[in-house]
């Protein structure tokens, strides 16, 4: 299929991790590529334009939760495509910051939609970075009956007793359209709200909607200062000090680590191959369920740290297992992941240690 002409593209959070990776691939091919970003100091070390944002992208420093931001933007551009990347993230942090997460993730999306309609600037296509967190614990299969069931949330009492898994059952990969949305964190709930709001709004205006539910995204370009950017930077720092990495629960909880270049390629493919009609929801991951203990061991071996320590600690709201199938990516987009987690994480650790000191003081 020939490449789709992109026209004007507006990207919220466009100077962030995924935004920069996407701009590097596509900004030069668009009529205009406008990255809107507040340059949050928790993520960006400097209020200046990030070095990772290609010069082909225009940067507007503004807060997308403010109606005035959109009024100013939409006087200058009528976007053909909107890529919505802005979000407060982190499962654990969200449990104590529900107001902030709701204001940015839900409120910011609502402001965007209202202003697009009010300024007669409804785009042809909206794409959003959704999250695996909308599935919560996903589906499990009973060993005795073979039936699939949704187990709900692991309770604080269950975790305190060290009951990590659900009894007599095996976890299943998430599959959009099959695995029901059942978030177990405030973060997941706000991402699910974004998905449903956009589905309702786009469906009533014949706007194409692509929802990409991302697994654990990592790779070069990830913020070095954001404490909530994921577990990999923390692992590298701890191992670099020669200390054992603390691995929660029994070390066997799993995650699906997907490289940022594979994520950017999924967005690129979706943008260049639109599908009019109902919203399409596609999972984006490596397709591998990777035990956290294995990741910790890999990081420690590269950095020269001690053997990780399985601590039995836990976080309320964490899911036990999270990974996805990639079948829909292949059938709907012609996309599939290309970077395995071992090679990708190894490259990431070498990149991280080349830029940030990992030894020394605490």
């Amino acid at each position: 299929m020939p490449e789709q002409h992109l026209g004007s593209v507006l990207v919220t959070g466009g100077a962030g991790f995924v935004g920069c990776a996407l701009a590097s691939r596509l900004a030069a091919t668009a009529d205009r590529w406008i990255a809107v970003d507040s340059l949050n100091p928790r993520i960006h070390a400097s209020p200046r334009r990030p070095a990772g944002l290609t010069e082909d992208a225009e940067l507007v420093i503004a807060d997308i939760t403010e109606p005035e931001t959109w009024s100013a933007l939409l006087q200058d551009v009528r976007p053909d495509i909107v890529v919505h990347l802005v979000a407060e993230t982190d499962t654990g942090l969200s449990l104590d910051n529900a107001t902030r997460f709701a204001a940015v993730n839900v409120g910011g999306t609502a402001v965007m939609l209202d202003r697009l309609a009010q300024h007669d600037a409804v785009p042809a296509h909206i794409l959003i970075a959704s999250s695996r967190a909308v599935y919560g614990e996903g589906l499990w299969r009973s060993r005795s009956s073979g039936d699939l069931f949704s187990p709900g949330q692991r309770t604080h009492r269950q975790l305190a007793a060290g009951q990590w898994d659900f009894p007599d059952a095996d976890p299943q990969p998430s599959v959009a359209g099959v695995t029901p949305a059942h978030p177990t964190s405030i973060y997941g709930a706000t991402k699910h709200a974004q998905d449903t709001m956009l589905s309702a709004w786009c469906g009533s205006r014949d706007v194409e909607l692509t929802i990409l539910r991302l697994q654990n995204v990592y790779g070069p370009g990830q913020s070095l200062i954001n404490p909530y950017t994921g577990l990999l930077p923390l692992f590298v720092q701890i191992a670099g000090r020669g200390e054992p990495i603390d691995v929660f629960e029994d070390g066997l909880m799993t995650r699906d680590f997907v490289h940022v270049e594979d994520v950017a390629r999924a967005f690129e493919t979706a943008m260049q191959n639109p599908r009019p009609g109902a919203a399409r929801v596609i999972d984006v991951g490596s397709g591998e369920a990777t035990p956290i203990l294995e990741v910790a061991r890999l990081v420690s071996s590269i950095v020269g740290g001690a053997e990780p320590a399985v601590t039995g600690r836990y976080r309320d709201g964490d899911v036990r297992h999270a990974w996805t199938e990639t079948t829909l990516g292949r059938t709907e987009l012609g996309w599939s992941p290309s970077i395995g987690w071992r090679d990708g994480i190894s490259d990431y650790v070498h990149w991280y240690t080349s830029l940030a000191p990992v030894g020394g003081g605490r």
Side-chain angles (χ1 to χ4, degrees), residues 60-357:
V60 175
I61 302 174
D63 185 346
I64 64 99
T65 68
E66 299 293 338
E68 294 77 12
T69 292
W70 291 98
S71 296
L73 280 169
L74 298 175
Q75 288 178 9
D76 178 56
V77 64
R78 290 290 189 268
D80 299 295
I81 298 173
V82 172
V83 183
H84 192 34
L85 303 178
V86 162
E88 285 285 350
T89 62
D90 189 82
T91 297
L93 182 68
S94 72
L95 291 175
D96 296 320
N97 294 273
T99 301
R100 188 169 97 204
F101 275 67
V104 175
N105 298 354
V106 181
T109 301
V111 170
M112 176 183 76
L113 297 179
D114 284 348
R115 291 297 171 167
L116 287 171
Q118 291 166 10
H119 288 268
D120 194 24
V122 175
H125 190 182
I126 295 179
L127 303 93
I128 183 171
S130 185
S131 171
R132 62 164 180 83
V134 303
Y135 297 120
E137 290 288 352
L139 291 174
W140 290 56
R141 187 178 297 279
S142 169
R143 294 180 192 137
S144 54
S145 69
D147 294 336
L148 290 172
F149 68 98
S150 182
Q153 184 170 1
R154 296 187 298 170
T155 65
H156 176 79
R157 179 176 298 180
Q158 179 181 352
L159 294 173
Q163 298 170 358
W164 310 126
D165 286 297
F166 295 96
D168 188 38
D170 296 310
Q172 305 297 303
S174 59
V175 182
V178 175
T179 307
H182 195 161
T184 60
S185 66
I186 298 297
Y187 167 63
T190 63
K191 296 302 289 184
H192 184 223
Q194 284 184 324
D195 292 354
T196 54
M197 289 167 63
L198 282 163
S199 293
W201 192 90
C202 291
S204 69
R205 289 171 167 80
D206 293 329
V207 174
E208 182 183 355
L209 174 62
T210 300
I211 298 171
L212 298 182
R213 288 193 176 145
L214 310 183
Q215 295 286 319
N216 285 56
V217 185
Y218 73 95
Q222 210 162 12
S223 174
L224 299 177
I225 65 169
N226 183 3
Y228 306 108
T229 196
L231 56 79
L232 288 178
L234 179 63
F235 280 9
V236 176
Q237 287 285 341
I238 294 171
R241 296 196 296 261
E243 301 171 5
I245 297 170
D246 285 351
V247 181
F248 282 15
E249 301 186 13
D250 59 357
L252 301 181
M253 64 193 306
T254 59
R255 294 293 184 267
D256 184 330
F257 292 91
V258 59
H259 198 278
V260 67
E261 286 301 322
D262 280 333
V263 171
R265 204 163 41 79
F267 273 99
E268 175 184 20
T269 307
M271 292 168 69
Q272 292 180 337
N273 297 280
R275 190 193 71 179
R280 55 182 175 184
V281 184
I282 298 169
D283 297 299
V284 177
S286 70
E288 297 183 76
T290 304
I292 298 300
L293 181 58
E294 287 191 33
V295 175
R297 283 175 171 158
L298 175 62
V299 172
S300 291
S301 69
I302 295 172
V303 178
E307 172 68 12
V310 177
T311 65
R313 295 169 59 200
Y314 58 88
R315 290 197 316 174
D316 290 309
D318 261 355
V319 298
R320 175 62 170 169
H321 299 289
W323 84 104
T324 188
E325 287 187 356
T326 58
T327 304
L328 276 176
R330 291 193 297 273
T331 58
E332 293 287 330
L333 296 180
W335 171 92
S336 59
S338 62
I339 302 173
W341 72 269
R342 287 188 178 277
D343 289 339
I345 290 179
S346 296
D347 289 344
Y348 169 82
V349 173
H350 290 301
W351 168 82
Y352 189 98
T353 55
S354 73
L355 297 177

Side-chain angles (χ1 to χ4, degrees), residues 4-11 23 26-35 55-58 76-81 271-272:
Q4 177 79 7
H5 177 66
L6 296 182
S8 295
V9 182
L10 192 154
V11 187
L26 286 177
T29 68
D31 291 343
R32 292 180 69 184
W33 186 280
I34 303 170
E55 291 300 322
D56 294 310
E58 302 171 43
D76 178 56
V77 64
R78 290 290 189 268
D80 299 295
I81 298 173
M271 292 168 69
Q272 292 180 337

